[in-house]
Amino acid sequence: MGEFALIGQITARLPQGAGVALGPGDDAAVIAAPDGRTVVTTDMLIEGRHFRRDWSSARDVGRKAAAQNLADVAAMGARPTAVTVALGAPGDLEAAWVLELADGVRAECGDVGASVIGGDTVGSEAIVVAVTALGDLEGRDPVPRSGARAGDVVALCGRLGWSEAGLQLLLEGQHVPEEVVQAHRSPQVPYSAGPQAADLGATAMCDVSDGLLADLGHIAEASSVQIGVDVSALEVADPVREAARLLQADPISWVLTGGEDNALVATFPAGTVLPDAWRVIGGVETGSGVLVDSTSYAGRAGYDHFS
Amino acid sequence: MGEFALIGQITARLPQGAGVALGPGDDAAVIAAPDGRTVVTTDMLIEGRHFRRDWSSARDVGRKAAAQNLADVAAMGARPTAVTVALGAPGDLEAAWVLELADGVRAECGDVGASVIGGDTVGSEAIVVAVTALGDLEGRDPVPRSGARAGDVVALCGRLGWSEAGLQLLLEGQHVPEEVVQAHRSPQVPYSAGPQAADLGATAMCDVSDGLLADLGHIAEASSVQIGVDVSALEVADPVREAARLLQADPISWVLTGGEDNALVATFPAGTVLPDAWRVIGGVETGSGVLVDSTSYAGRAGYDHFS
């Protein structure tokens, strides 16, 4: 299938939402920005480094590529509105794989009401997927990483340790518990919690893509504060615990340092009444860095991709 | 240099314009969209396919990657406001090359007053540069490819054949005339002519990235019209003519089918008084396809990358 025929098949699969003034097929697309500002973020995924075709379906890869970017938009307190996708692909890649990838991007965007409004396809040796996501603040102030203040509470919404558990299982050739393996293939992101946190007065927020301690470290550094995490407040979900048992690993280290679950972590003024989906996991003090149960964390804080 | 140190050095080089509400360094950036709509486009460049490091400096590659996207924004009738850049790079690529690339992107954006507001860096085998550009319509209607009507004139602003001449010289190991070689490395795009054409009532517009006949073919197809080009109205610039003489090639074929100069071509209602920068090169009639001097063009209409 030629490039133009393939693009035609892709765009035919992409329903355009109400905010799309001009969809794919022109030099550029036009999307509504009713707030008068646009939130923008971009991420690139490379085959062999961010995903493996023997581990993940094209649909999983599409979902994950979209999710990473949509989560970044949500972490600003915005509602995702649109994405563009640039795809580099080897000439012998089956058209069906590309169409499934597009289906995955569309499905993840559909979960938040965003449209896939443009893209590019080029030839390359390895598969490369670059997604850019846009969002609408709907009148909210963006929630940066830099606004945490001493006295704030730290709260979490979403999963931690799932993707890391799935990755470690896959690295050992294991495929159960299936929930965590699937979580590594594509995350379940609590998108609506981002605007919710902004409405609740969150002072700082980011999504947990590098690992809880690493991402809290970004907030601590940008805000010039110290952040403390209480391990007893962290939930270790049953399938994460089961994976750790199978691999004789420490599930708490996965929860503290595993990446790619795209949970949202935010700081709120003390006394903020938080909905059930948000769980207080620590607090903000004067100082610098991140402490776990009042001490430095001995393990590695960050998350490396598998290659 | 580690990834975070490199990102720090890159962002330190990126001045943020007045429309930037939040620049690089957070989960996402925030850019003003005063019109209430945002124009969005994305392109991916792959080393060995879209550029060669032995032919182009990192600065050239950065300029060209930005220019392709900024030209797409201008071709909608919009003013470019911001770009994001996702970079895949081998681990042994010198930091200096990456910083020069950033300088090139910044320089091209600076020419139009756009800011580099975000990005991503990942490891990859080949160098991959994915740019997304945003733009502001400033109250104009976007000029699509689909609005050309029988009776319109076809007008061109900018260079044609320069990049192709430069490419053919480089393929033969030649480096003069230097102007066309440099034009292949990074184009000179008439950005302001895009909003100007929209203000003048352009009915359809696109930038000439695939080649004049190919891109007019896109307008003809999207508008369900026939477009005729008068060869006598096309300018063959002196350095293009000189390159053709050196290579014993036909310069007119370069002008008709060479890509990557990012000229702007638009259709206007008959009688529109056009500024000097716009040259009438043909007309629109009922029918389909593109004719050159009233006949089908015998050569290849499209442009292929060099690999």
Side-chain angles (χ1 to χ4, degrees):
Chain A
M1 197 186 306
E3 181 188 347
F4 287 112
L6 183 59
I7 291 172
Q9 286 217 14
I10 293 170
T11 54
R13 287 164 181 250
L14 301 175
Q16 300 297 310
V20 181
L22 189 67
D26 219 297
D27 292 276
V30 184
I31 178 80
D35 172 273
R37 296 166 296 176
T38 300
V39 173
V40 195
T41 186
T42 196
D43 266 322
M44 182 178 276
L45 281 76
I46 310 260
E47 181 182 16
R49 207 169 287 256
H50 302 94
F51 63 90
R52 283 172 48 165
R53 268 190 279 170
D54 57 336
W55 286 356
S56 298
S57 70
R59 187 181 174 88
D60 289 329
V61 175
R63 271 204 176 264
K64 186 167 189 163
Q68 287 189 357
N69 286 279
L70 299 171
D72 281 329
V73 169
M76 302 308 296
R79 184 180 58 80
T81 53
V83 306
T84 62
V85 184
L87 172 68
D92 61 358
L93 184 68
E94 323 83 81
W97 198 93
V98 176
L99 296 174
E100 260 188 63
L101 177 87
D103 285 347
V105 173
R106 178 191 64 185
E108 194 71 20
C109 287
D111 287 351
V112 293
S115 301
V116 185
I117 60 173
D120 190 20
T121 62
V122 301
S124 70
E125 296 291 313
I127 300 176
V128 186
V129 187
V131 174
T132 299
L134 307 184
D136 179 20
L137 284 160
E138 301 176 316
R140 295 176 203 98
D141 287 333
V143 184
R145 297 177 174 187
S146 57
R149 295 165 303 189
D152 286 352
V153 298
V154 177
L156 176 82
C157 181
R159 296 168 160 190
L160 289 180
W162 289 60
S163 177
E164 181 71 19
L167 171 59
Q168 296 302 327
L169 287 169
L170 285 165
L171 285 169
E172 296 296 326
Q174 300 194 38
H175 294 84
V176 288
E178 210 275 334
E179 304 99 299
V180 292
V181 173
Q182 188 53 38
H184 178 70
R185 293 179 178 132
S186 79
Q188 287 195 9
V189 185
Y191 296 111
S192 62
Q196 180 186 50
D199 289 338
L200 289 165
T203 53
M205 179 158 52
C206 68
D207 82 311
V208 183
S209 50
D210 294 338
L212 179 66
L213 298 187
D215 286 307
L216 286 177
H218 299 148
I219 290 180
E221 186 179 354
S223 301
S224 301
V225 295
Q226 183 176 84
I227 291 180
V229 176
D230 303 323
V231 169
S232 65
L234 294 170
E235 183 188 25
V236 181
D238 288 342
V240 174
R241 197 178 297 278
E242 172 65 10
R245 193 188 61 76
L246 288 169
L247 299 176
Q248 298 182 294
D250 172 20
I252 292 291
S253 74
W254 293 348
V255 167
L256 289 171
T257 67
E260 301 199 336
D261 282 309
N262 302 102
L264 295 175
V265 67
T267 56
F268 296 90
T272 304
V273 178
L274 295 172
D276 287 346
W278 288 90
R279 170 195 291 255
V280 173
I281 62 166
V284 181
E285 297 180 39
T286 56
S288 64
V290 179
L291 298 183
V292 177
D293 287 345
S294 303
T295 61
S296 298
Y297 183 65
R300 85 197 160 114
Y303 169 75
D304 297 316
H305 293 291
F306 53 78
S307 83
Chain B
M1 198 185 308
E3 182 189 346
F4 286 112
L6 184 60
I7 291 172
Q9 286 216 16
I10 293 170
T11 54
R13 289 164 179 250
L14 301 175
Q16 299 297 310
V20 181
L22 190 66
D26 219 298
D27 292 276
V30 183
I31 179 79
D35 173 274
R37 296 166 295 177
T38 300
V39 173
V40 195
T41 184
T42 197
D43 266 322
M44 183 179 274
L45 281 76
I46 310 260
E47 181 182 15
R49 207 169 286 257
H50 302 94
F51 64 88
R52 283 173 48 166
R53 269 191 278 171
D54 57 334
W55 286 357
S56 298
S57 70
R59 187 180 174 87
D60 289 330
V61 175
R63 271 203 175 266
K64 187 167 188 162
Q68 287 188 358
N69 285 279
L70 298 171
D72 280 329
V73 169
M76 302 309 296
R79 183 179 60 78
T81 53
V83 307
T84 63
V85 184
L87 172 68
D92 61 357
L93 184 68
E94 322 85 81
W97 198 93
V98 176
L99 296 174
E100 262 188 61
L101 177 89
D103 284 348
V105 172
R106 177 191 65 185
E108 193 73 20
C109 287
D111 289 351
V112 294
S115 301
V116 184
I117 59 173
D120 190 20
T121 62
V122 301
S124 70
E125 295 290 314
I127 300 176
V128 186
V129 187
V131 175
T132 299
L134 307 184
D136 181 20
L137 284 161
E138 300 176 317
R140 297 176 203 98
D141 287 332
V143 184
R145 297 178 173 185
S146 58
R149 295 164 304 189
D152 285 352
V153 297
V154 178
L156 176 81
C157 181
R159 295 165 157 191
L160 289 180
W162 289 61
S163 178
E164 181 71 19
L167 171 59
Q168 295 303 326
L169 287 169
L170 286 166
L171 285 169
E172 296 296 325
Q174 299 193 40
H175 295 83
V176 289
E178 210 277 333
E179 302 99 300
V180 292
V181 173
Q182 189 52 39
H184 177 71
R185 293 180 178 132
S186 78
Q188 287 194 10
V189 184
Y191 296 111
S192 61
Q196 180 186 51
D199 289 337
L200 289 165
T203 51
M205 179 156 54
C206 68
D207 83 312
V208 184
S209 50
D210 293 338
L212 180 64
L213 298 186
D215 286 308
L216 286 177
H218 298 149
I219 290 179
E221 186 178 357
S223 301
S224 301
V225 295
Q226 183 175 84
I227 290 180
V229 176
D230 304 323
V231 170
S232 64
L234 294 170
E235 184 188 23
V236 182
D238 288 342
V240 174
R241 197 178 298 279
E242 172 63 9
R245 193 188 62 76
L246 288 169
L247 299 176
Q248 298 183 293
D250 172 20
I252 292 291
S253 75
W254 292 349
V255 167
L256 289 171
T257 66
E260 300 199 340
D261 283 309
N262 303 102
L264 294 175
V265 66
T267 56
F268 296 91
T272 303
V273 178
L274 295 171
D276 287 347
W278 287 91
R279 170 195 292 257
V280 173
I281 62 166
V284 181
E285 297 179 41
T286 56
S288 65
V290 179
L291 299 182
V292 178
D293 288 346
S294 302
T295 61
S296 297
Y297 184 66
R300 85 199 160 115
Y303 169 75
D304 297 315
H305 292 290
F306 53 77
S307 84

